[in-house]
């Protein structure tokens, strides 16, 4: 799994790149929260649900169906999010799906059940350079946790910074040319 520090960054980067006129602040925040939501499935460990179970870690909450359901919820809450239903639904759904994409880029775990409930198979992307994060604060606050953060900085944080900066610069250039 990628850390909860990293999961909201793609939504934040794209939102900053597009600007607040296109992605209002409440919609941006909703996307960042939606990007973290799938990891609530770690509660399954406390309930005795096995990792490999459909309702275990990286199971149904990491599926495309779950992301689509979150998108529908975003569309239904569009007025609260300061946006139209299509934009809110797409934003929240894609932000939720970004979580499982990052997890599918890690070098450990069982993969992601993208096609649940139609298939229990777990998937990784062909490129999976991100160090998998240990589960639990005590394990994370260790040399292994530092390795994970360095890996995430290289493979997620820096590209997200580049996306945000490029979008901001491009918007300023386009504004000057108007």
């Amino acid at each position: 799994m990628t850390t909860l520090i990293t999961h909201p960054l793609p939504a934040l980067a794209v939102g900053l790149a597009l600007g607040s006129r296109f992605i209002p602040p409440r919609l941006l925040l909703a996307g960042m929260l939606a990007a973290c939501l799938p990891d609530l499935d770690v509660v399954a460990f406390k309930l005795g649900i096995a990792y490999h179970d459909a309702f275990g870690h990286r199971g149904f909450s990491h599926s495309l169906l779950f992301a689509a359901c979150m998108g529908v919820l975003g569309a239904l809450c569009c007025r609260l999010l300061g946006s139209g239903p299509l934009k809110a639904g797409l934003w929240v759904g894609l932000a939720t799906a970004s979580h499982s994409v990052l997890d599918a880029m890690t070098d450990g775990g069982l993969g992601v059940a993208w096609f649940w409930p139609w298939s229990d198979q777990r998937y990784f992307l062909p490129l999976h350079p991100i160090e998998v994060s240990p589960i639990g604060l005590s394990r994370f606050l260790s040399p292994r946790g530092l390795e994970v953060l360095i890996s995430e900085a290289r493979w997620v944080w820096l590209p997200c910074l580049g996306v945000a900066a490029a979008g901001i610069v491009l918007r300023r250039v386009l504004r000057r040319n108007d």
Side-chain angles (χ1 to χ4, degrees), residues 1-4 6-7 39 42 45 51 57-58 62 99-100 102-112 123-124 128-136 139-153 155-156:
M1 119 175 153
T2 311
T3 64
L4 284 177
T6 297
H7 278 299
D39 271 346
V42 296
F45 293 129
Y51 186 150
H57 186 54
R58 292 188 177 177
H62 287 61
H99 182 108
S100 60
L102 288 178
D103 279 0
M105 292 177 67
T106 62
D107 65 357
L110 295 179
V112 176
Y123 297 89
F124 284 102
H128 42 92
I130 301 171
E131 297 274 339
V132 70
S133 178
I135 296 174
R139 290 186 194 141
F140 182 73
L141 297 175
S142 69
R144 174 80 181 124
L146 182 58
E147 288 175 27
V148 168
L149 291 176
I150 291 169
S151 172
E152 290 182 3
W155 295 103
V156 184

Side-chain angles (χ1 to χ4, degrees), residues 31 34-35 37-38 61 63 66-68 70-71 91-101:
L37 190 61
S61 69
S63 70
F66 183 80
M70 291 301 299
W91 182 257
V92 171
L94 289 172
T96 305
S98 75
H99 182 108
S100 60
V101 170

Side-chain angles (χ1 to χ4, degrees), residues 8 10-16 20 23-34 81 91 95:
L12 176 61
V14 173
L16 290 174
S20 60
I23 303 295
R26 284 182 281 170
L27 183 58
L28 176 63
L29 181 60
M32 292 171 64
L33 292 172
L81 300 175
W91 182 257

